[in-house]
Amino acid sequence: MTELGRAAAAHTIDVPGAGGATLTLSWGAATDIGRRRDHNEDSYIVEAPFFVVADGMGGHLAGDRASDAVVRRLGDAADGPFGSRQSIQHALLLATADIERAAGGNAIGAGTTVTGLALVAAEGQPAALVFNVGDSRTYRVENGTLRRITVDHSVVQEMVDAGVLRAEDAEAHPDSNVITRAVGFGEPPEPDWWTLPLRTGDRYIICSDGLTKEIGDAGISRIAAKVDDPQELAERLVGDALVAGGRDNVTVVVLQVEGAPADTDLEDTLPRP
């Protein structure tokens, strides 16, 4: 597993084209091998502009190399505190080639999920460009309410969308670990994208499925309501996942918007419930 960046408090960034306005962020991250795995195949990057978690797959060490390839290519793509959709897509394409080389003769190949966000600036206003491939997840806490941004690329999510499986039964389904998209396995990456304005008080929680399969959305929401510091929250969520069973590697990144320009009028690309 690979960890790029470290926790930060009150990190202030100048917003380009905003007449001297600044964006102030704090963030934290935590990861654990879990109670049943012999190595950690998760990787993450917490370094502006990227706040991302990757969960590798593919047999002994191949998944580790796959998640490493994604976060390292994103790190290489960083050119200042703001990024772009093009830089993410290019990094994922390069990572796909890296993963193919790393998989070598591995018969099942190698790949990784990836989710998170890049800081972007549109017309002088800061935003989060959220992206996702696979079943790791990104959430936003807005006005105290947790909402999942990403949509899993998985067999059970397709069943839920088709109305043949209840959302509350998805995690217990025997196919809950079968994903339909990944970075690697010889396929071009196909991320989904969302753009959300960055507003003071908002919090983003980015995690591998080692968290969601243990404590679910309700557990994440309950803990987030009690813990203010992003590093403490990341560590608490990982710890609770271990207490709940720790059946997989678990990784959590928390990004908190401490201060943002007040005149933002960007609209979410998320559909309203």
Side-chain angles (χ1 to χ4, degrees):
M1 71 93 54
T2 301
E3 301 171 81
L4 299 183
R6 58 184 179 180
H11 181 81
T12 300
I13 300 168
D14 292 329
V15 180
T22 60
L23 175 68
T24 303
L25 306 169
S26 60
W27 61 79
T31 188
D32 196 278
I33 192 172
R35 299 187 181 278
R36 300 190 185 180
R37 300 299 179 98
D38 59 8
H39 62 284
N40 194 340
E41 294 186 314
D42 290 355
S43 294
Y44 69 79
I45 179 171
V46 285
E47 199 166 53
F50 299 116
F51 300 87
V52 172
V53 169
D55 179 357
M57 304 160 286
H60 186 62
L61 295 183
D64 184 14
R65 295 189 185 106
S67 66
D68 169 87
V70 165
V71 299
R72 289 195 183 279
R73 286 297 187 179
L74 286 170
D76 292 344
D79 183 19
F82 291 92
S84 67
R85 177 167 171 167
Q86 292 76 15
S87 65
I88 296 168
Q89 189 71 58
H90 185 59
L92 296 182
L93 285 169
L94 292 175
T96 300
D98 295 340
I99 292 166
E100 285 303 293
R101 288 190 291 270
N106 185 353
I108 63 173
T112 182
T113 70
V114 59
T115 194
L117 65 88
L119 304 178
V120 296
E123 300 178 358
Q125 297 181 2
L129 178 62
V130 176
F131 61 100
N132 182 64
V133 183
D135 64 350
S136 294
R137 293 179 182 173
T138 297
Y139 298 83
R140 178 174 64 174
V141 181
E142 182 182 19
N143 298 322
T145 300
L146 179 86
R147 185 177 180 196
R148 190 193 311 175
I149 300 169
T150 55
V151 179
D152 294 350
H153 299 133
S154 66
V155 168
V156 293
Q157 183 63 53
E158 291 181 356
M159 294 170 69
V160 170
D161 293 344
V164 298
L165 180 68
R166 298 187 307 168
E168 56 267 33
D169 297 331
E171 299 296 2
H173 192 277
D175 290 333
S176 63
N177 289 322
V178 180
I179 63 171
T180 56
R181 291 192 212 173
V183 179
F185 296 112
E187 298 292 333
E190 296 183 53
D192 289 336
W193 307 89
W194 300 262
T195 303
L196 294 85
L198 289 170
R199 298 190 174 104
T200 301
D202 286 353
R203 173 185 274 182
Y204 292 83
I205 299 172
I206 304 156
C207 61
S208 61
D209 67 346
L211 177 70
T212 54
K213 283 184 167 56
E214 296 295 358
I215 67 174
D217 291 8
I220 296 170
S221 179
R222 173 179 52 81
I223 297 163
K226 297 178 180 178
V227 182
D228 293 330
D229 180 78
Q231 180 61 35
E232 291 181 11
L233 176 57
E235 293 173 358
R236 172 68 184 275
L237 288 169
V238 168
D240 278 41
L242 297 178
V243 170
R247 292 168 292 174
D248 198 356
N249 312 145
V250 55
T251 300
V252 178
V253 165
V254 179
L255 175 67
Q256 195 156 292
V257 184
E258 305 290 355
D263 60 350
T264 182
D265 57 7
L266 292 175
E267 296 295 328
D268 291 1
T269 59
L270 292 171
R272 289 294 175 188

